Amino acid sequence: MSDFVIPVPPTACVPVASGGMFPVRRVYCIGRNYAAHAVEMGHDPDREAPFFFQKNPNDLNSSGSFPYPAQSSDVHHEVEVAVLLKSGGTNISLENALDHVYGYALCLDMTRRDLQGIAKKAGRPWEIGKAFHASAPVGPVHRVAEVGHLDQGRITLHLNGALKQEGDLNQMIWKVPEMISYLSEYYTLAPGDVILSGTPAGVGPVQKGDAMTIEVEGLGAMAVTVT
């Protein structure tokens, strides 16, 4: 007999392109990791210490649709790359950081910008604008053994066929090894942890019925419909 007093919630997971499922433990998101995006959000693009917020594991959404959330009238797209860890630890060195990466996936950090703005003005956490149901549409995981490590390559988002976001992964202020190493100073990283690596400039609003297509060189493309 189980000792659990309620039914155990299902494990959040993401499909792997070559087969199987990747279980998700935590989701860390880095803020303002492309200089041009920092500028468009009204911040200095100089290399300041990185900062992170979290989404919930079950916010990752591989359905191909994004349900427009309640209590918001200004929801923005942010195209990103997800970094999925197969191992972890504390105080991980830069030299060893990439050894912990299982693979990479296309991802969106959908944001209730109006609610985020209210939270910012009040000096409160951003979670109400970031961590909501299905707020991280995600594509299948591509294993490092198949695609290598992504340190450069074009990243784009088209909205209803029009190019809205464009950049290169080499424009990230904090690179993947640095993000892993820095996070491990403050958290014990573990298998199943996911890091969203930031978005290039061009973020903007979506409406019900919109069609988004995101693409990263080496990871292919993913279509997401706003419902």
Side-chain angles (χ1 to χ4, degrees), residues 44-142:
D44 191 323
D46 288 344
R47 186 179 158 104
E48 59 182 358
F51 70 95
F52 293 84
F53 56 92
Q54 291 191 34
K55 285 181 180 282
N56 303 307
N58 58 4
D59 291 340
L60 290 172
N61 164 26
S62 58
S63 70
S65 65
F66 168 69
Y68 200 96
Q71 305 299 325
S72 181
S73 58
D74 188 23
V75 179
H76 284 203
H77 56 74
E78 298 189 10
V79 59
E80 312 213 358
V81 168
V83 183
L84 301 98
L85 303 186
K86 63 181 179 182
S87 56
T90 57
N91 297 314
I92 296 170
S93 69
L94 283 174
E95 294 75 18
N96 296 328
L98 290 179
D99 294 340
H100 298 279
V101 178
Y102 176 83
Y104 301 89
L106 299 166
C107 198
L108 285 159
D109 170 21
M110 302 302 294
T111 303
R112 295 193 283 203
R113 191 72 74 201
D114 45 0
L115 301 187
Q116 183 193 31
I118 292 169
K120 283 182 177 181
K121 288 181 181 178
R124 296 172 179 168
W126 293 4
E127 270 71 13
I128 196 168
K130 290 288 191 176
F132 57 92
H133 173 65
S135 61
V138 62
V141 182
H142 297 268

Side-chain angles (χ1 to χ4, degrees), residues 147-158:
V147 299
H149 287 292
L150 304 182
D151 55 4
Q152 62 182 358
R154 189 168 181 249
I155 177 171
T156 60
L157 180 143
H158 287 78

